[in-house]
Amino acid sequence: MRNVDETIKFPNDTNIQHENETNSAENINRNRVMFLGLIFFSIVLLLANINGSLGRPFLNVYLLKEVVSDPIIATFAYLPSGIISMIIAPKLGKIADKIKPSIGILIFNTLGATLT
């Protein structure tokens, strides 16, 4: 697919070997950073899920006790958000696929933090 100039010759193989050693050292450092990032991300995800699962049962009790005493009416409080999220999610997914990943992560995390 690309045009390569095959007339270029390297004088010796020591330069190539040195470049390969440098690239492998950079790859090792990059792999370590990626591994540490993955561990950090996993810990944050674990803590977020623990936080959500601890608070969710108390939210239902609070809703039934303080806002409405009828469980059917309390259920209707969850319906609009569920229906809206099912309608909007595919459209947001198509938009997110078109955005550069780093910018998309920045936008959606900022939006999520603001809404929270």
Side-chain angles (χ1 to χ4, degrees), residues 28-44:
I28 290 172
N29 289 337
R30 186 177 298 143
N31 289 340
R32 286 182 184 165
V33 170
M34 291 292 287
F35 185 69
L36 289 174
L38 181 64
I39 289 173
F40 179 73
F41 180 72
S42 299
I43 291 171
V44 168

Side-chain angles (χ1 to χ4, degrees), residues 88 92 99 103-116:
I88 293 177
L92 287 177
I99 297 174
I103 294 174
I105 290 171
L106 177 70
I107 290 171
F108 287 119
N109 283 341
T110 304
L111 182 64
T114 304
L115 292 176
T116 300

Side-chain angles (χ1 to χ4, degrees), residues 15-68:
N15 290 338
I16 295 172
Q17 184 179 4
H18 178 69
E19 288 177 10
N20 289 338
E21 290 172 0
T22 305
N23 289 338
S24 65
E26 289 175 1
N27 286 337
I28 290 172
N29 289 337
R30 186 177 298 143
N31 289 340
R32 286 182 184 165
V33 170
M34 291 292 287
F35 185 69
L36 289 174
L38 181 64
I39 289 173
F40 179 73
F41 180 72
S42 299
I43 291 171
V44 168
L45 188 63
L46 175 73
L47 293 175
N49 284 331
I50 289 172
N51 189 22
S53 62
L54 285 175
R56 193 167 289 124
F58 298 110
L59 181 65
N60 292 335
V61 172
Y62 176 78
L63 185 65
L64 287 174
K65 185 177 179 183
E66 299 294 328
V67 179
V68 157

Side-chain angles (χ1 to χ4, degrees), residues 56 59-61 63 71 73-84:
R56 193 167 289 124
L59 181 65
N60 292 335
V61 172
L63 185 65
I73 295 174
T75 305
F76 287 133
Y78 288 106
L79 283 178
S81 63
I83 292 171
I84 291 172

